[in-house]
Amino acid sequence: MITDRDLPKPWRVVASPIDQESASQLDAVAGLSTGVEDPVSWDLLENTETGRRLMLRMGIDDAGIAITGVYVPGPGSVGIGELRSFPLAAIEAAVRARRATAGASVQAAIMAGPGDPHEGPLGNPSGPDDQRFYARLALRYLRVAADSPRPATDLAKAEGVTPRTVQRWTSRARELGLLPPGRPGRSS
């Protein structure tokens, strides 16, 4: 499913997912079959500036979540220039990133163990394989990153350590699969 946060401006979600009957009809027209083992969703999007609507079928391929179908309802035809302007790659990348973050959050929560991972000082890892420490760090980092453009700096201030220390810790947490990959060329 696509959310408004996955979309560049001026796109918005109209329905995500669309109703199952309509989705099944679209799959039938396209010659696609959908089973329980093949989770897909058709999502209806709209460009708020032009009014153009776009339906995307999100499914699973070898690389993970992917756009597996596109339908552009009328009125009017779609020119090649307009087709090129559809932000398909950006939408797919945003959905993959959101899913990776959600998966990492679940993994970190499991490894952090019982109790609130946000309570008390974080402390220091007992070693490079201190998975409970890195899981608690990951959960705190994700919480700060949801509202901050510089989560490592903000978390460092809260924990009383240097931003470089938090960057080193988050790098190890990523290696352990507790945080999704960082954005290339971006230091936080």
Side-chain angles (χ1 to χ4, degrees):
M1 293 194 302
I2 298 173
T3 68
D4 282 327
R5 292 185 72 182
D6 298 327
L7 302 174
K9 298 290 182 207
W11 291 89
R12 72 176 186 95
V13 173
V14 176
S16 177
I18 65 171
D19 66 273
Q20 188 57 47
E21 184 178 331
S22 297
S24 296
Q25 290 173 355
L26 283 168
D27 281 348
V29 167
L32 303 168
S33 63
T34 303
V36 174
E37 70 283 347
D38 181 26
V40 299
S41 72
W42 278 97
D43 303 284
L44 178 60
L45 314 178
E46 180 181 59
N47 182 313
T48 58
E49 292 175 355
T50 65
R52 172 60 80 184
R53 289 191 166 194
L54 175 66
M55 297 181 84
L56 297 181
R57 182 181 194 262
M58 301 299 293
I60 306 291
D61 71 1
D62 295 337
I65 191 97
I67 295 172
T68 57
V70 177
Y71 175 71
V72 183
S77 61
V78 178
I80 192 70
E82 184 182 9
L83 190 59
R84 284 187 187 128
S85 74
F86 294 159
L88 302 179
I91 293 169
E92 187 175 86
V95 171
R96 282 184 178 167
R98 180 171 47 83
R99 298 275 303 243
T101 299
S105 294
V106 169
Q107 181 69 14
I110 291 169
M111 294 177 80
D116 185 352
H118 303 289
E119 283 186 16
L122 190 56
N124 290 301
S126 62
D129 294 325
D130 185 350
Q131 293 189 357
R132 188 167 193 281
F133 169 84
Y134 288 108
R136 291 178 65 231
L137 166 80
L139 292 170
R140 288 183 187 199
Y141 181 86
L142 290 171
R143 177 187 255 179
V144 171
D147 298 321
S148 171
R150 301 192 54 80
T153 301
D154 293 344
L155 185 56
K157 285 178 187 173
E159 294 298 329
V161 297
T162 67
R164 180 65 191 122
T165 297
V166 171
Q167 290 168 350
R168 192 173 59 251
W169 288 345
T170 57
S171 177
R172 182 64 183 141
R174 290 182 206 291
E175 290 172 5
L176 294 171
L178 301 170
L179 284 172
R183 292 191 279 185
R186 179 178 161 93
S187 175
S188 59

